[in-house]
Amino acid sequence: MTTSALHFEHLDTPFFDAHHRQLARELDHWAASNITHPAPAVTTDRQSLDEHCRMLVRQLGEAGFLRHCVPQADASGRADIDTRAVCLAREILARHSGLADFAFAMQGLGSGAISLDGSGAQRTTYLDRVAAGSAIAAFALSEPGAGSDVGGMTCTAEPAGDGYILNGEKTWISNGGIADFYVVFARAPGTTRSSGISAFIVEAGTPGLEIAERLDVIAPHPLARLRFTNCQVAATQRLGAEGTGFKLAMRTLDIFRTSVGAAALGFARAALAQGLERAAQRRMFGTTLGAMQLTQATLADMATQVECSAMLVYRAAWLRDQGRTISREAAMAKLVATESAQRVADAAVQLWGGAGVEVGSIVEQLYRDVRALRIYEGASEVQRLIIGTSLLKQMQQDSAPATA
């Protein structure tokens, strides 16, 4: 069996329909033919990185793949996302290029709130452009003091005339600096925690919106800190009703949290393939690295972690596509897949030895690409809290006496 065959074994499980299998094959072929640039190294200059990301967004849009993360409303006005398609796309793109996965995912996350709760006019204005790759979207939720603790945000949206005035900061905003618009979450003055938070579409270039700082991270991608200073936003740019922003943010994250696990799965598959290649080809002590039992044990652990992650990721995706609430299942998928991917990437670096820590080597890039996934869209510690709280709540419900 080739490593290529290993990449598609899970498609034969009942989690997938025929169109999912077709998408996987088409996207894998497209990625192999079109993603010709290597993942950017730590030293890549920011201008080149920005243009590389814009190029990938355009390519994915022109090829029609962005439509899978940017759904359009049907005749009833309902717009939903095929979670399995999004997860498959992220897994495959991550296996080929971390930045390609980023470009795809941020188009979905950045426009997801519009898909879920946007008005007809808002959907018409933004979603077609995002799906075509002609507009870049961004999701502006995190703040310097409110990352995993969304309820701790301090950015305010004060009603003023026929709109709102935004003041405050957002940070760690992916696509910050290159986005054409931002979905920004801010609270009404005087409110606390989850109450009073609303969501707004803020166009890049709006007076009072400033790119305060561009941020560099170990897996390079466009990232920035935003500052809002008396930034005026029309009421027509608010998403949904006032005060519903917290629930909208959580609904958006619930969709894409599972897909973070899928991206981790893609990175892990790439790392496993690199480990297998090294084991088969590297000669030492008169034999190959793969002939040694310790190496075989390492490869066995890597492969087992990959397959465990795949089952959790696609179980959660399948459940959501059946209309189930999946907060616990999505948390399990993200937790296991991201933590496992880090271990698999680390094992691949170890198998490659000195060559594995050279900047620009494939396994070194994978090691950097994986690390952030254990933090964003809810750190591993937060996922454990979600899972534990859910289990206790379920136990209490199951043990409660039945009422007549």
Side-chain angles (χ1 to χ4, degrees):
M1 181 181 297
T2 66
T3 54
S4 178
L6 285 172
H7 295 155
F8 293 104
E9 274 191 317
H10 61 304
L11 292 177
D12 293 329
T13 64
F15 290 132
F16 301 102
D17 299 326
H19 71 276
H20 295 120
R21 299 181 181 98
Q22 181 178 352
L23 167 64
R25 301 287 182 181
E26 289 177 353
L27 181 54
D28 186 62
H29 177 75
W30 179 88
S33 302
N34 290 274
I35 300 177
T36 56
H37 297 282
V42 176
T43 54
T44 298
D45 69 273
R46 187 172 292 142
Q47 184 176 352
S48 296
L49 178 65
D50 289 352
E51 184 49 42
H52 192 175
C53 194
R54 291 189 183 98
M55 177 192 70
L56 286 167
V57 170
R58 287 194 302 270
Q59 288 180 323
L60 286 163
E62 290 169 359
F65 293 115
L66 290 180
R67 71 179 185 273
H68 294 288
C69 66
V70 186
Q72 304 297 302
D74 58 23
S76 67
R78 174 182 169 82
D80 207 353
I81 289 175
D82 184 334
T83 315
R84 286 167 290 174
V86 172
C87 287
L88 277 171
R90 292 204 65 181
E91 177 193 341
I92 291 165
L93 289 171
R95 181 160 50 79
H96 286 275
S97 161
L99 195 60
D101 165 63
F102 167 84
F104 175 88
M106 290 306 110
Q107 289 295 90
L109 182 63
S111 64
I114 302 175
S115 295
L116 291 172
D117 215 12
S119 66
Q122 289 168 340
R123 290 174 178 171
T124 299
T125 299
Y126 295 101
L127 296 186
D128 285 340
R129 293 162 57 211
V130 174
S134 60
I136 294 178
F139 184 77
L141 180 65
S142 296
E143 298 183 3
S148 296
D149 180 16
V150 175
M153 75 168 58
T154 60
C155 186
T156 59
E158 185 172 1
D162 60 351
Y164 300 83
I165 296 177
L166 273 58
N167 281 286
E169 287 193 355
K170 296 291 177 179
T171 195
W172 308 303
I173 306 305
S174 292
N175 279 342
I178 69 168
D180 295 288
F181 67 89
Y182 300 84
V183 172
V184 180
F185 295 81
R187 67 168 63 258
T191 62
T192 59
R193 304 306 302 165
S194 61
S195 66
I197 296 175
S198 298
F200 305 88
I201 306 170
V202 183
E203 298 270 357
T206 300
L209 166 57
E210 173 192 358
I211 306 301
E213 181 184 11
R214 292 296 300 272
L215 305 172
D216 297 317
V217 288
I218 60 174
H221 63 266
L223 194 71
R225 177 168 58 89
L226 314 180
R227 180 180 295 127
F228 299 89
T229 307
N230 296 325
C231 179
Q232 296 186 0
V233 180
T236 55
Q237 294 296 92
R238 190 188 69 227
L239 285 165
E242 276 190 348
T244 61
F246 181 85
K247 289 183 178 179
L248 178 57
M250 295 304 104
R251 288 169 62 202
T252 306
L253 290 173
D254 265 351
I255 294 171
F256 289 97
R257 182 171 291 129
T258 303
S259 81
V260 177
L265 176 60
F267 290 134
R269 287 196 192 279
L272 174 58
Q274 287 295 308
L276 287 167
E277 177 185 322
R278 183 67 165 181
Q281 297 179 0
R282 173 64 168 168
R283 295 201 62 82
M284 57 193 312
F285 303 115
T287 185
T288 62
L289 184 62
M292 299 178 181
Q293 289 184 332
L294 279 174
T295 301
Q296 294 168 15
T298 296
L299 292 170
D301 288 342
M302 294 167 72
T304 301
Q305 290 177 84
V306 166
E307 295 309 317
C308 287
S309 297
M311 292 303 101
L312 282 172
V313 165
Y314 289 111
R315 180 191 69 149
W318 180 84
L319 285 171
R320 188 189 179 279
D321 287 342
Q322 308 314 304
R324 299 270 294 275
T325 300
I326 62 158
S327 294
R328 182 171 68 199
E329 291 79 5
M332 287 179 173
K334 182 182 185 297
L335 173 65
V336 171
T338 57
E339 293 289 334
S340 294
Q342 191 76 72
R343 291 191 292 270
V344 172
D346 184 76
V349 170
Q350 198 73 10
L351 288 170
W352 277 80
V357 293
E358 290 183 11
V359 173
S361 71
I362 294 176
V363 291
E364 182 267 343
Q365 292 169 11
L366 288 167
Y367 189 89
R368 287 188 285 106
D369 282 334
V370 167
R371 187 60 185 86
L373 273 61
R374 295 166 57 202
I375 297 174
Y376 74 72
E377 293 190 38
S380 294
E381 291 77 10
V382 173
Q383 305 312 318
R384 290 185 174 97
L385 289 174
I386 292 171
I387 296 164
T389 301
S390 175
L391 290 171
L392 290 169
K393 183 178 179 181
Q394 183 69 55
M395 183 192 71
Q396 291 167 355
Q397 291 174 346
D398 291 345
S399 61
T403 56

